[in-house]
Amino acid sequence: MSTDGNKKIQRALISVFDKTGLEPIVKTLHEQGVEILSTGGTREFVEAMGIPVTKVEDLTAYPSILGGRVKTLHPKVFGGILARTANASDLAELEQYQIPTVNLVIVDLYPFEKTVASTQDKQAIIEKIDIGGISLIRAAAKNHNDVLIVPCVEWYEKLHALLTSQNGETTLGQRRLFAAKAFEVSSHYDTAIFNWFNTEEQIPALKMSETTAKTLRYGENPHQKGYYFGDFERAFEQLNGKEVSYNNLLDIDAAVNLIADFRETAFAILKHNNACGMAEDAVLKNAYLKALAGDPVSAFGGVLITNRTIDLATAEEMNKLFFEVIIAPAYDAEALELLKSKTNRIILLNKGVTLSVNTVRTALNGFLVQERDTLTETADMLKTVTDTAPTQSQTADLLFAVKLVKHTKSNAIILVKDGQLVGIGTGHTSRIDALKHAIAKAAEAGLSVEGAVMASDAFFPFNDCVQIAHEAGVKAVIQPGGSVRDKDSVDYCNQNGLAMVMTGVRHFKH
């Protein structure tokens, strides 16, 4: 290890909120002859260990004021941190004003994000906006040529390892690494504060920060690098299986968003972010079998999800299929044991993932941001536009279908019968092709479209789709409406005894 740029720690300023793991650091610093400066609760912590500590108040000749809001904000503190030891003018000013240099700064900020998560009290949240700590972090990181900054409790252990292995000496490379972490901590902290403030009259700015990161095996394809930024373990407990991949995560996201719209017992099978099978049934096993029947070929290697506890009877049927992932809110013990029989099968316990308010995607040299499509149609939102009104059972199927079409790649057509997805057309450039594909998929699966209902993610510009659907056996249609030629489709339905309802809500998904 090169000694060029090495610095010996002689004086440390410690001001932390979380003192977990701090004790061995303080002991080591004391053993290495390092003078410790501190204030408030941290000073009391060090004193309780029987280790000498200099009060910051004694250095500055000012007490902590404004209820603790001002403690370290003083030239005698920041001068000692920001002074460049290779600059003769800086050293002369330190001597003139009797300011001691500081070689190590340890800070752990007030827990702003945890406070936001635990209370609606605005004043309590504002009081957890750290001022002195964030200033210390930035100052020490800026002057990393002379100062080592430890900006969070998670890096206490790294500091202790350096102290013990290098006898209190640090290299420029190490200080630069810690400085990078410091600016990551400070930028994340400021982002959280901005996003909390920016909720009413919003300033149009995109501020995102996620400190929990995972390197994936690869991205969408093996030649692409991939990363996941987010706390996956907070949302799911993985009970079995191999490491979750980039493509798994996309399918899991699609599955969780889909199932969130369903309240009755439901089961869905997804492939490439779209449902290839889905059904509702009071008996979970039946819901699964109906979902599987919708497209048993595409279900191979798919992602399965339900909103109910998986029992043994359902697991026995599921175990006959090769699938990548299963997601459920709970598993009966015998069911879980059976599903674990496949070593690589990913079994996830859904702990109640909180879905993002907005969706973000890259576009050209920037980003597209929009509110997530959280609108779910209810019976009172349906406007019957035909002479024939849908029956009660048809209305239930129409609502099931429109929920599903919302989560299907545009152009999208969904065919549903008796709470079961019987045909799907997804991602087509033509709505007619999407419909024809849905009818063909139903035929391939041996499912009858006679008496089914149809949902479209957008309006019909012509009456060709309702005509094709009618000829296939569809009896009721749900669509947003809004075409200048809506009347053509309505007239066709009236002439042929079909029911049509409009929602006024389009659900494009690109």
Side-chain angles (χ1 to χ4, degrees):
M1 180 178 66
S2 172
T3 59
D4 186 30
N6 284 15
K7 298 286 182 179
K8 180 77 171 178
I9 297 170
Q10 297 175 321
R11 186 174 291 107
L13 172 60
I14 309 176
S15 180
V16 302
F17 181 85
D18 192 337
K19 300 166 186 64
T20 306
L22 185 63
E23 184 174 340
I25 292 172
V26 172
K27 285 182 178 179
T28 301
L29 290 172
H30 177 61
E31 291 166 359
Q32 293 176 351
V34 176
E35 180 186 351
I36 297 174
L37 303 172
S38 193
T39 186
T42 307
R43 174 182 57 79
E44 293 172 0
F45 177 86
V46 176
E47 286 177 339
M49 294 173 59
I51 291 175
V53 57
T54 301
K55 297 180 182 179
V56 168
E57 294 91 328
D58 291 345
L59 173 65
T60 63
Y62 271 89
S64 172
I65 62 173
L66 305 181
R69 280 189 166 196
V70 180
K71 289 182 282 192
T72 58
L73 295 169
H74 193 280
K76 281 203 169 184
V77 174
F78 281 85
I81 294 170
L82 286 165
R84 295 157 291 187
T85 58
N87 186 304
S89 176
D90 284 7
L91 294 179
E93 289 187 51
L94 291 181
E95 184 175 358
Q96 178 184 355
Y97 296 108
Q98 298 182 317
I99 300 173
T101 57
V102 175
N103 323 107
L104 169 65
V105 175
I106 306 175
V107 175
D108 183 67
L109 298 170
Y110 291 158
F112 178 80
E113 289 179 282
K114 289 182 180 178
T115 304
V116 169
S118 64
T119 183
Q120 298 294 318
D121 186 335
K122 289 187 177 181
Q123 193 55 43
I125 292 171
I126 288 171
E127 289 304 318
K128 285 297 185 286
I129 297 176
D130 206 311
I131 303 301
I134 204 78
S135 301
L136 291 170
I137 286 175
R138 292 178 63 85
K142 177 176 180 176
N143 199 30
H144 65 274
N145 195 60
D146 292 294
V147 182
L148 178 69
I149 172 63
V150 181
C152 58
V153 64
E154 290 80 11
W155 277 47
Y156 288 1
E157 191 174 334
K158 291 180 185 291
L159 168 64
H160 192 244
L162 283 183
L163 294 174
T164 54
S165 64
Q166 297 172 198
N167 194 31
E169 194 170 86
T170 64
T171 69
L172 178 59
Q174 290 165 343
R175 294 193 300 277
R176 185 176 177 83
L177 174 65
F178 276 68
K181 178 63 179 178
F183 284 117
E184 185 256 310
V185 167
S186 65
S187 63
H188 177 80
Y189 198 75
D190 286 341
T191 295
I193 295 169
F194 168 78
N195 286 332
W196 180 73
F197 273 96
N198 196 40
T199 54
E200 296 175 5
E201 296 182 21
Q202 290 192 346
I203 297 169
L206 176 61
K207 301 286 185 181
M208 297 176 63
S209 180
E210 179 54 64
T211 57
T212 306
K214 180 179 179 60
T215 301
L216 305 173
R217 287 173 294 173
Y218 50 80
E220 203 161 7
N221 299 292
H223 63 277
Q224 297 170 272
K225 292 181 179 179
Y227 308 90
Y228 175 68
F229 293 91
D231 192 350
F232 187 79
E233 285 72 26
R234 184 178 178 181
F236 303 97
E237 180 182 352
Q238 184 165 349
L239 305 175
N240 189 70
K242 61 186 179 181
E243 181 182 344
V244 175
S245 71
Y246 182 99
N247 290 329
N248 289 153
L249 287 165
L250 288 175
D251 281 328
I252 292 166
D253 177 69
V256 169
N257 275 274
L258 171 61
I259 207 72
D261 275 344
F262 291 83
R263 297 293 173 264
E264 301 301 321
T265 301
F267 209 112
I269 303 172
L270 287 87
K271 200 73 172 287
H272 297 293
N273 309 156
N274 292 294
C276 58
M278 185 163 193
E280 287 182 331
D281 194 287
V283 178
L284 186 62
K285 172 185 170 181
N286 294 342
Y288 166 72
L289 291 174
K290 288 179 181 178
L292 178 64
D295 190 347
V297 175
S298 296
F300 184 86
V303 170
L304 282 55
I305 189 166
T306 182
N307 55 4
R308 295 293 187 269
T309 299
I310 293 183
D311 54 33
L312 179 60
T314 306
E316 286 174 339
E317 293 297 334
M318 292 167 55
N319 206 45
K320 299 173 184 177
L321 175 72
F322 168 74
F323 59 89
E324 288 268 344
V325 182
I326 172 62
I327 309 162
Y331 301 83
D332 286 345
E334 291 178 323
L336 181 59
E337 184 179 357
L338 176 62
L339 293 172
K340 282 183 173 182
S341 62
K342 305 295 184 183
T343 306
N344 289 330
R345 179 181 286 160
I346 297 169
I347 303 175
L348 298 178
L349 179 72
N350 188 347
K351 295 194 284 188
V353 57
T354 301
L355 299 172
S356 174
V357 174
N358 295 324
T359 63
V360 182
R361 64 195 298 181
T362 58
L364 303 175
N365 60 345
F367 302 88
L368 286 172
V369 181
Q370 68 172 349
E371 294 177 342
R372 192 166 58 86
D373 186 357
T374 58
L375 196 153
T376 302
E377 285 82 354
T378 54
D380 60 327
M381 296 172 61
L382 308 184
K383 179 183 178 182
T384 301
V385 294
T386 50
D387 297 336
T388 301
T391 65
Q392 186 175 354
S393 62
Q394 286 174 338
T395 298
D397 278 349
L398 289 169
L399 290 172
F400 178 96
V402 76
K403 290 176 187 176
L404 190 46
V405 82
K406 165 184 161 183
H407 295 278
T408 304
K409 189 88 167 177
S410 299
N411 286 311
I413 292 289
I414 295 293
L415 302 178
V416 168
K417 183 178 178 181
D418 298 330
Q420 178 187 19
L421 172 63
V422 295
I424 182 170
T426 175
H428 289 271
T429 53
S430 160
R431 195 161 303 282
I432 293 175
D433 287 343
L435 173 56
K436 289 179 178 178
H437 185 77
I439 294 169
K441 292 297 289 184
E444 287 177 13
L447 299 172
S448 173
V449 180
E450 184 63 39
V453 306
M454 173 175 70
S456 174
D457 62 333
F459 64 63
F460 300 114
F462 305 101
N463 68 1
D464 43 12
C465 280
V466 291
Q467 181 178 349
I468 294 169
H470 170 239
E471 291 170 353
V474 168
K475 299 301 181 186
V477 178
I478 186 168
Q479 59 132 331
S483 169
V484 294
R485 301 186 64 172
D486 276 346
K487 187 175 182 297
D488 292 354
S489 294
V490 173
D491 287 346
Y492 182 89
C493 289
N494 283 333
Q495 292 162 11
N496 293 276
L498 275 71
M500 176 180 284
V501 298
M502 293 185 182
T503 65
V505 179
R506 189 181 73 185
H507 286 298
F508 269 164
K509 187 171 184 285
H510 294 108

